[in-house]
Amino acid sequence: MGFVAFLGCDGAGKSAVIDGVESELNSRGCAVLRGHWCPRLFSADSGGDRTTAADDPHGIEPRGPVSSVLKLAWLWLKWWSGWLAGLGSSARKGWVIFDRYHADLLIDPRRYRYGGPAWLARIAMAMMPQPDRVLFLDAPVDVLLSRKQEVPADALASSRERYLSLCRTHSRFVVIDASKPLKEVIEAACREIDGFG
């Protein structure tokens, strides 16, 4: 078993694919714990920055450097607190699946209103709990835009290239063709999970 994170640009179909993967794993009798972006610390905690779910994820200006660094420290605390409080044991007994996770901030800092140093964010990300496998759902920009129009084409193209660059630098990252029919994408994701679980 393990910890799996799904990444993808807006329109890649992460939610639908994760739903399908969860259904398949449940049918095998596997326990699945799902999360989005980061763990919750308190019952009232949304589990992440509310701007990530907005219709216009780039519509709010980034925070200043100081508040961005404080927010980064809070994110670090949330990840380690959540991991030690139960995510770690859940990943040993079953599957922990996240729709986005902390490395997403490196790709699209504007979405999370991060205005601090990029080098500090990279160090912080490296010191947080890491997924066993990261599945990047990739599709051409025109396909992404045909599904969702919240992010302009140039921003999607930039994010996609950054994701692909990140995938090339880590062996635990796998690229899955998300332009294929949903059933095929779910099957491909399940094969990758089966390969290391």
Side-chain angles (χ1 to χ4, degrees):
M1 309 301 179
F3 172 22
V4 182
F6 283 79
L7 294 180
C9 299
D10 290 81
K14 293 187 303 299
S15 296
V17 173
I18 293 172
D19 286 344
V21 168
E22 180 180 22
S23 179
E24 172 61 23
L25 294 175
N26 284 336
S27 73
R28 303 176 187 178
C30 300
V32 177
L33 178 64
R34 286 177 64 165
H36 182 271
W37 167 236
C38 68
R40 299 180 181 185
L41 278 189
F42 312 107
S43 58
D45 187 353
S46 67
D49 193 326
R50 292 183 181 182
T51 60
T52 64
D55 290 337
D56 183 6
H58 294 164
I60 304 177
E61 288 297 314
R63 298 180 180 87
V66 174
S67 57
S68 290
V69 170
L70 291 174
K71 191 73 174 182
L72 185 63
W74 177 237
L75 178 64
W76 185 92
L77 177 64
K78 289 177 75 171
W79 266 104
W80 275 113
S81 298
W83 191 256
L84 296 174
L87 284 180
S89 60
S90 293
R92 289 189 293 273
K93 298 173 185 175
W95 295 101
V96 171
I97 297 179
F98 264 69
D99 177 354
R100 302 188 186 276
Y101 80 112
H102 51 72
D104 211 42
L105 183 146
L106 299 175
I107 303 299
D108 193 358
R110 181 68 181 266
R111 174 183 291 271
Y112 302 100
R113 301 182 60 206
Y114 182 72
W119 63 266
L120 183 61
R122 284 193 294 271
I123 291 173
M125 301 301 113
M127 296 175 65
M128 294 183 200
Q130 302 296 319
D132 298 297
R133 184 72 89 220
V134 180
L135 305 183
F136 170 56
L137 304 183
D138 182 41
V141 172
D142 59 331
V143 173
L144 299 172
L145 285 172
S146 72
R147 298 172 177 173
K148 215 171 186 181
Q149 294 81 40
E150 282 81 0
V151 178
D154 58 343
L156 282 175
S158 176
S159 292
R160 183 186 181 216
E161 184 49 46
R162 289 182 181 181
Y163 277 124
L164 290 171
S165 178
L166 183 64
C167 291
R168 288 190 287 267
T169 62
H170 296 282
S171 60
R172 67 177 181 273
F173 283 69
V174 176
V175 179
I176 293 177
D177 185 354
S179 66
K180 293 182 177 180
L182 178 59
K183 184 175 183 292
E184 293 182 25
V185 180
I186 293 170
E187 289 172 350
C190 288
R191 283 195 299 272
E192 292 296 336
I193 290 172
D194 289 339
F196 80 92

